[in-house]
Amino acid sequence: MGIVVQKYGGTSVADKERIFRAARRAISEYEKGNKVVVVVSAQGDTTDELIEKAREINENPSKREMDMLLSTGEQISIALMAMAIEKLGYPVISLTGWQAGIKTDSHYSNARIIEIDTERLQRELDKRNIVVVAGFQGINKYDDITTLGRGGSDTTAVALAAALKADKCEIYTDVDGVYTADPRIVPNASKLKEISYDEMLELATLGAKVLHNRSVELAKKYNIPLVVRSSFNDNEGTIVKEVNSVEKLLVSGVACDKDIARVAVIGVENVPGKAFQIFSLLAKENINVDIILQSIGREKTKDISFTVSKSNLKQTLDVLTKNLHVIGAKDITYADNVAKVSIVGAGMVNNPGVAAMMFEALYDAGINIEMISTSEIKISVLIDEKDAEKAVRAIHDKFKLHLLNNEK
Ligand code: ASP
Ligand code: MG
C-alpha cells in the first residue's frame, strides 16, 4: 500500500470510452489499497482550440487572460473523470490547481511551481477519496490562475508525486514509451526499457515530445522514477530513472527539432566584448540561445551565428536591428528553414568516434552540416529543414538503433 500518482494526457481522456478506461485503471490501483491521485490534461486538442478562440477575439491577449482561458480545458477533464469514477461506484473528488494547493510564480503562460500545500490533498486521500487534479495550472501570489507551459501536466504529476512522497508516478500517454526516434519518422525505432534522467532531459529539450522537460528535471531532483506507458494497452512502457554506468548506452535516441531559426550577425568588429554585448541584449529579452558559432570574417571582423526558437525569431531580429550600431556590426541575416538533429547517449562520454559516425551517416546521405554543438551526452547538428527526416533515419540506421534491445 502506498501513494500512486497517475497522469493521463489529452489523447488518453479524449472521449467517453477513454475516460472510462483511465478511470478503471485508477480504480485498480485504488483496489490494491493505494491512495490514488489522478492528474489529467485537457481533452484532445482542447488547448489548441482555446488558443484559436482567443485569436479570433484578440491577436495579442494578455497572458493573464490566456491562462484564465487555457486552464478551463483541464477543469473540464477533472469533472468528467470524477463523474466516471463516481459512476463506477468509487469515492472521488476533483480539484483544480489552486484547490490542490499548487502555488506558482507569476510568469503567466510559463509559471514554475514554487510549493505545494498538500493539506487538502492529504485530507481527501485520508477520507479514501480518489483525488483527480487538474494538470498544467496553479495559482500565484495575487490569487491569479497561472499555467505551466505547453505539456505542463506532466510537471504537475511529478511535483505532486514529490510533495506527497509517492511510491509510484505513472505518465499515461498514447505511445508505448520512449523510443530511439519518433516512430512516425523511423517506423522500426526501438522502445527503450529504461533511460536515465539526463538523457531524457536532453531528449525532452531537443524536441522529443513525450515528456515536459521540467517534469524530468523535477523527477531527477527528487529521484522519482517515472513510468511512461500507453493508456491503451498493458505494455510495460519505459522507466525514466538514474541509470548506473555499466548499463549506459552509447546512443539511446535521435531527436529532431524544427522549431528553430538561425541568426547571423555579420561583420562584427574583432575586439573583446562583442559576444557579451549581443547575448546580453538577448538575455534581457528573455530569449534563449542554443548553438553558437563564431567565425573569422573579412577585414578584421567576425561573424557570430546562433540559433533561437522560431517563436523568438522576430523579437531577436528586432532587438538586434535596433542595436546594430551599438554592437558595431554590418548586417543581420537569418534562416528559418533549418532543423536541429541530435543524438543523445550517456555512454558517449568515454567513447571516441561517436561524432565521426554521426557525420559519416550524414555524409552518406548527402546532407550538409551548417553548425555543430556537443555536450557530454549529446551531439547536435543544424541542417536544412527539408533533410530532417532523412537525417534522422540515416543516423538511426548507422547506429543500428532498430536492433537496440535493452529489454532485460
Ligand atoms: N493541456 C495543456 C497542453 O495542451 C497541458 C498538457 O496537456 O499537459 O499543453
Ligand atoms: Mg504531453
Side-chain angles (χ1 to χ4, degrees):
M1 279 190 334
I3 300 179
V4 177
V5 176
Q6 297 185 329
K7 178 256 171 176
Y8 293 92
T11 45
S12 300
V13 294
D15 57 33
K16 174 180 109 185
E17 192 193 321
R18 291 175 182 190
I19 290 177
F20 273 108
R21 196 179 301 151
R24 280 192 207 96
R25 220 185 262 274
I27 287 168
S28 82
E29 285 296 335
Y30 181 88
E31 279 288 359
K32 292 180 202 158
N34 292 313
K35 292 179 170 173
V36 180
V37 175
V38 180
V39 175
V40 286
S41 293
Q43 293 184 282
D45 296 326
T46 304
T47 309
D48 290 327
E49 285 158 17
L50 290 171
I51 292 173
E52 201 39 54
K53 267 203 167 92
R55 290 242 163 84
E56 285 168 15
I57 303 271
N58 180 343
E59 324 74 66
N60 200 11
S62 77
K63 289 186 169 170
R64 181 193 182 276
E65 299 310 330
M66 270 316 268
D67 282 2
M68 187 63 101
L69 179 68
L70 296 194
S71 64
T72 62
E74 273 69 15
Q75 193 168 335
I76 294 173
S77 295
I78 53 170
L80 295 176
M81 178 62 75
M83 289 173 194
I85 294 171
E86 198 176 87
K87 177 91 179 169
L88 294 169
Y90 287 81
V92 61
I93 187 164
S94 67
L95 301 175
T96 62
W98 71 265
Q99 288 177 309
I102 300 172
K103 312 243 165 84
T104 73
D105 65 20
S106 295
H107 285 96
Y108 299 103
S109 87
N110 199 18
R112 273 178 186 268
I113 296 175
I114 301 169
E115 65 163 323
I116 300 182
D117 176 357
T118 59
E119 202 266 336
R120 175 82 189 267
L121 274 166
Q122 297 280 11
R123 194 157 25 100
E124 299 298 345
L125 290 171
D126 288 341
K127 282 193 244 166
R128 290 296 290 146
N129 276 321
I130 294 175
V131 184
V132 184
V133 180
F136 175 59
Q137 57 174 263
I139 193 160
N140 67 17
K141 63 179 178 199
Y142 308 113
D143 283 347
D144 280 342
I145 294 171
T146 52
T147 66
L148 309 180
R150 296 306 304 270
S153 297
D154 297 333
T155 298
T156 304
V158 177
L160 287 173
L164 294 166
K165 301 195 169 45
D167 301 271
K168 206 153 77 169
C169 184
E170 298 176 319
I171 309 289
Y172 285 96
T173 177
D174 51 358
V175 291
D176 277 358
V178 182
Y179 281 76
T180 49
D182 185 337
R184 281 166 305 185
I185 301 175
V186 185
N188 63 354
S190 317
K191 189 181 80 192
L192 295 161
K193 168 95 172 165
E194 56 186 43
I195 185 166
S196 67
Y197 293 122
D198 288 333
E199 290 167 296
M200 192 63 234
L201 203 53
E202 289 286 5
L203 286 176
T205 313
L206 291 170
K209 300 208 166 45
V210 231
L211 284 176
H212 194 223
N213 61 350
R214 222 171 275 159
S215 74
V216 186
E217 265 171 32
L218 271 184
K220 177 177 155 88
K221 183 167 170 195
Y222 295 99
N223 199 20
I224 299 165
L226 302 181
V227 181
V228 180
R229 55 187 295 197
S230 168
S231 67
F232 304 131
N233 59 46
D234 287 321
N235 298 346
E236 250 181 44
T238 301
I239 303 171
V240 186
K241 59 168 201 173
E242 211 57 78
V243 174
N244 72 44
S245 56
V246 264
E247 296 167 285
K248 281 177 183 163
L249 294 169
L250 202 57
V251 175
S252 50
V254 188
C256 174
D257 184 2
K258 292 182 177 176
D259 176 29
I260 190 167
R262 187 196 56 215
V263 176
V265 188
I266 310 283
V268 182
E269 205 190 337
N270 197 7
V271 294
K274 289 296 161 188
F276 167 60
Q277 238 176 7
I278 293 170
F279 295 114
S280 49
L281 280 169
L282 300 178
K284 262 189 225 131
E285 303 277 320
N286 232 331
I287 296 169
N288 243 332
V289 172
D290 188 27
I291 309 179
I292 300 176
L293 188 77
Q294 178 175 307
S295 52
I296 300 297
R298 274 149 296 182
E299 294 154 16
K300 295 204 183 103
T301 63
K302 55 191 173 188
D303 300 340
I304 297 179
S305 320
F306 54 88
T307 62
V308 293
S309 74
K310 272 194 180 128
S311 56
N312 281 331
L313 178 61
K314 190 177 175 304
Q315 210 185 349
T316 303
L317 295 174
D318 284 351
V319 63
L320 291 179
T321 311
K322 222 185 319 164
N323 289 283
L324 201 58
H325 59 285
V326 185
I327 302 165
K330 293 208 176 71
D331 198 10
I332 291 168
T333 63
Y334 73 93
D336 57 6
N337 57 339
V338 290
K340 182 173 67 171
V341 172
S342 313
I343 56 175
V344 171
M348 70 172 74
V349 195
N350 302 313
N351 281 284
V354 178
M357 237 170 116
M358 178 183 187
F359 303 153
E360 186 182 13
L362 294 168
Y363 167 69
D364 289 344
I367 297 167
N368 188 42
I369 302 172
E370 294 186 28
M371 287 167 112
I372 300 171
S373 94
T374 64
S375 80
E376 282 206 322
I377 64 165
K378 172 195 83 175
I379 303 168
S380 299
V381 295
L382 195 77
I383 60 172
D384 196 311
E385 186 168 8
K386 73 170 178 2
D387 291 329
E389 277 83 17
K390 193 162 81 170
V392 171
R393 282 190 285 265
I395 295 166
H396 197 274
D397 269 5
K398 188 79 184 174
F399 287 96
K400 298 194 167 41
L401 296 182
H402 59 286
L403 300 177
L404 193 145
N405 189 350
N406 73 345
E407 309 265 347
K408 279 182 289 289

